[in-house]
Amino acid sequence: MNEHSHGRLIIVSNRVAIPKRRGAVAGGLAVGVLGALREQGGMWFGWSGKLTDRSDAEPEIVRKGNIEFATIDLNEQDFEHYYNGYSNKVLWPVCHYLLDFLIYDSADFDGYRRVNQAFARKLASLLRPDDIIWVHDYHLIPLAAELRSAGVDNPIGFFLHVPFPSYEAFRAVPGHEFLLRALTAYDVVGFHTPRDLKAFRTCLEEPIVDATFIDDTRVRVGDGELIADVFPIGIDVDEIQKLSSDSQSMKTVQRMVSSLDGRQLLIGVDRLDYSKGLKLRLRSYERLLERYPNAQRNVTFIQIAPPTRTGVRAYDEIRSELEQTSGHINGRFAESDWVPIRYLNKGVDRKPLMGFFRNADVGLVTPVRDGMNLVAKEYVAAQDPRNPGMLVLSSLTGAACELTDAIIVNPYDRDDVADGIANALSMSLDERKERTASMIEVLRKNDITAWRTRFVDALMRKRVGPRLDA
Ligand code: GDG
């Protein structure tokens, strides 16, 4: 692929990650998207991170190499409705089957539509006829429909980074009919797992849109054809292996290791989000200490949880709940020379983080629901192949569809998780090596390059049209 033969790739996401801010938490999406843009050349369009009281600001464009970063400021009130409101109080919880967290306000829905209209209006003026457009995530579901009404007929694809709920959950979303129709305005719609695709197809069976299934991935909608398929996101295995092995000489990593005093290490790394099952995870660890008294004094659990979406009530609440729970468990079990949980309410730079992974005997990834979960994949890739640690992984993550050689647990069952951890802590070296090697094989097959190449190829086929498809 190159810039001249294929036109530009246009990436659209809520936030644009302009590569420079050191120490920033790299979102799951940034790494893959930048790789695709570097390869093909193009533009990344989205919110600048800045709020304004105006609504007519022009996009600001910064060029780096063959990539343009085009960002727009958003009106403060619109942003509150679109982002904190409809996106994160309605779509996020429902996509994670956590309906108790759903808080709906019709003003939020209006704001969501307004911001998508503003995105479309401002993007449309920057487009060229041979561009292909790849839209990311639940914040921007209506974007293709808005672009189409602005006269854009380029191929437009959509990738959902969170789970797609089955119809019985989806129909709880006020505005779900609108969202479903909007999704069918895309040429390609992608999900992490076959389960998400299946859930989407059950929604298409409802008499909301006029859809006919042609085969496993092609759907006829009205006069058009939609591709709905599975594109599991992955990681750059070599990059992680290099970071994790290079980081062993870093002071931060060495100090962490020596502070363990020979104890086994459990690690968890998650944005502070209620979908990540953090409170249950702490309770499961407490259960481990109860059921396996040997673990007391011999195991240390480091949980890294950088805050996100601060200002949304549910997020502020979970933060104080976790402080209480970890305090309670430490108070119950700590000795003068041992604390069971080290709870860090902040991020760690990427390189030492991979070094922490490499030194951890157990990676604990127990969300109550997750689209994929890249931490699980990074943990496995970061292991020393001569003495790898073991992943304990929630069955309710997308990653569990691929990493079947991890220890798979039900995050709601504290005994199951505690037993899973105990099993990981005592697993023989041969078994750990064998399971890790087979997981690395999967990680390489579905890596970050495979993810973006498969998606962009599917979208590109839409551009050349049905003549070449046949
Ligand atoms: C969404 C979906 C899907 C986290 N803490 C620190 C840190 N991180 C990095 C991790 C990983 C990324 O952030 C988190 O990605 P996840 O996939 O685990 O989770 P979400 O942020 O919820 O991402 C998810 C993903 O999109 C991609 O499609 O897998 O299901 O929810 O890369 O390493 N990085 C650093 N310090 C931290 O403290 N440096």
Side-chain angles (χ1 to χ4, degrees):
M1 269 181 273
N2 68 55
E3 206 167 342
H4 305 292
S5 57
H6 291 295
R8 300 183 306 173
L9 172 64
I10 310 295
I11 300 283
V12 191
S13 64
N14 171 54
R15 273 304 290 276
V16 174
I18 304 181
K20 69 164 182 265
R21 276 178 51 231
R22 262 184 52 81
V25 174
L29 160 135
V31 185
V33 154
L34 281 169
L37 283 169
R38 283 197 190 104
E39 187 168 296
Q40 190 161 348
M43 182 168 77
W44 190 346
F45 181 93
W47 178 45
S48 62
K50 284 181 273 180
L51 297 174
T52 150
D53 50 11
R54 298 170 39 189
S55 58
D56 55 350
E58 284 305 306
E60 191 190 315
I61 300 180
V62 177
R63 175 174 267 278
K64 286 183 186 254
N66 60 349
I67 308 174
E68 282 181 325
F69 296 88
T71 54
I72 55 170
D73 300 346
L74 289 178
N75 173 277
E76 194 165 349
Q77 277 183 356
D78 283 355
F79 176 78
E80 185 59 32
H81 291 302
Y82 144 82
Y83 185 80
N84 287 336
Y86 194 70
S87 295
N88 285 324
K89 290 185 194 151
V90 177
L91 296 179
W92 177 271
V94 175
C95 288
H96 291 85
Y97 292 86
L98 297 167
L99 269 63
D100 279 359
F101 287 89
L102 191 168
I103 302 173
Y104 177 72
D105 184 334
S106 62
D108 289 344
F109 186 47
D110 295 343
Y112 179 80
R113 298 182 65 171
R114 249 190 337 269
V115 169
N116 272 274
Q117 281 156 5
F119 261 64
R121 210 170 44 241
K122 290 175 187 182
L123 175 61
S125 67
L126 302 175
L127 292 174
R128 298 179 196 156
D130 59 352
D131 288 340
I132 58 168
I133 304 162
W134 185 5
V135 179
H136 290 262
D137 234 357
Y138 59 100
H139 317 86
L140 297 173
I141 292 172
L143 192 64
E146 296 294 349
L147 285 169
R148 295 285 181 236
S149 30
V152 172
D153 61 5
N154 304 49
I156 314 179
F158 177 79
F159 186 81
L160 186 68
H161 289 262
V162 296
F164 195 89
S166 69
Y167 183 64
E168 280 310 304
F170 186 59
R171 73 195 185 93
V173 175
H176 67 276
E177 299 95 336
F178 164 83
L179 295 173
L180 196 62
R181 275 186 227 112
L183 280 167
T184 60
Y186 286 92
D187 295 296
V188 179
V189 176
F191 305 98
H192 283 306
T193 71
R195 288 178 188 276
D196 300 306
L197 174 59
K198 193 171 159 197
F200 178 61
R201 287 172 69 102
T202 62
C203 293
L204 291 180
E205 280 165 8
E206 296 296 323
I208 300 170
V209 288
D210 172 21
T212 328
F213 299 111
I214 302 168
D215 59 25
D216 290 352
T217 58
R218 293 187 303 156
V219 189
R220 176 155 299 284
V221 185
D223 318 324
E225 194 182 299
L226 166 74
I227 303 280
D229 205 351
V230 177
F231 304 86
I233 198 169
I235 55 167
D236 180 340
V237 178
D238 291 329
E239 182 231 16
I240 307 268
Q241 287 182 340
K242 183 163 174 9
L243 282 177
S244 98
S245 104
D246 289 356
S247 65
Q248 297 311 295
S249 57
M250 292 176 84
K251 278 220 173 65
T252 336
V253 175
Q254 290 179 348
R255 282 213 310 270
M256 188 283 288
V257 172
S258 74
S259 76
L260 294 175
D261 225 1
R263 296 184 175 94
Q264 286 188 295
L265 173 63
L266 262 63
I267 195 162
V269 177
D270 313 74
R271 283 185 306 99
L272 188 48
D273 193 296
Y274 51 79
S275 66
K276 302 292 182 183
L278 289 165
K279 191 173 171 192
L280 280 163
R281 185 181 310 170
L282 293 175
R283 289 291 183 195
S284 301
Y285 178 62
E286 181 178 34
R287 185 58 55 86
L288 173 89
L289 299 176
E290 289 165 352
R291 280 166 75 112
Y292 302 87
N294 257 350
Q296 290 176 34
R297 297 175 146 275
N298 291 318
V299 173
T300 295
F301 174 25
I302 298 186
Q303 175 64 53
I304 296 168
T308 47
R309 300 175 199 167
T310 44
V312 176
R313 197 155 146 211
Y315 288 78
D316 298 340
E317 281 173 8
I318 186 193
R319 183 172 175 167
S320 68
E321 269 183 28
L322 289 175
E323 277 160 11
Q324 269 181 31
T325 310
S326 59
H328 162 82
I329 299 169
N330 279 342
R332 180 173 166 201
F333 290 98
E335 298 288 346
S336 55
D337 58 353
W338 171 68
V339 178
I341 303 170
R342 300 185 193 173
Y343 173 58
L344 279 68
N345 203 207
K346 61 176 180 196
V348 171
D349 278 355
R350 191 164 168 84
K351 186 168 168 184
L353 185 66
M354 297 307 137
F356 288 3
F357 281 161
R358 193 177 181 93
N359 286 288
D361 301 272
V362 180
L364 257 186
V365 179
T366 56
V368 290
R369 195 67 66 163
D370 217 328
M372 175 54 74
N373 195 291
L374 290 175
V375 169
K377 294 190 165 185
E378 291 164 351
Y379 173 78
V380 172
Q383 295 312 299
D384 180 347
R386 292 161 304 183
N387 183 20
M390 197 28 63
L391 175 66
V392 173
L393 180 62
S394 158
S395 57
L396 301 175
T397 61
C401 294
E402 293 169 72
L403 300 178
T404 48
D405 276 308
I407 296 178
I408 306 290
V409 295
N410 182 331
Y412 288 103
D413 181 347
R414 283 167 291 163
D415 295 314
D416 189 33
V417 177
D419 292 348
I421 298 171
N423 181 2
L425 286 169
S426 62
M427 188 179 282
S428 73
L429 178 61
D430 280 350
E431 186 172 354
R432 280 184 278 131
K433 277 184 172 169
E434 210 171 288
R435 288 183 182 230
T436 303
S438 95
M439 288 193 278
I440 295 271
E441 214 171 284
V442 177
L443 294 184
R444 286 200 181 277
K445 183 167 157 263
N446 295 339
D447 70 357
I448 190 74
T449 309
W451 173 67
R452 62 170 162 89
T453 311
R454 286 190 54 228
F455 194 96
V456 171
D457 285 354
L459 200 48
M460 208 81 94
R461 280 197 290 278
K462 283 293 184 176
R463 193 164 62 131
V464 292
R467 272 174 301 119
L468 293 184
D469 269 358

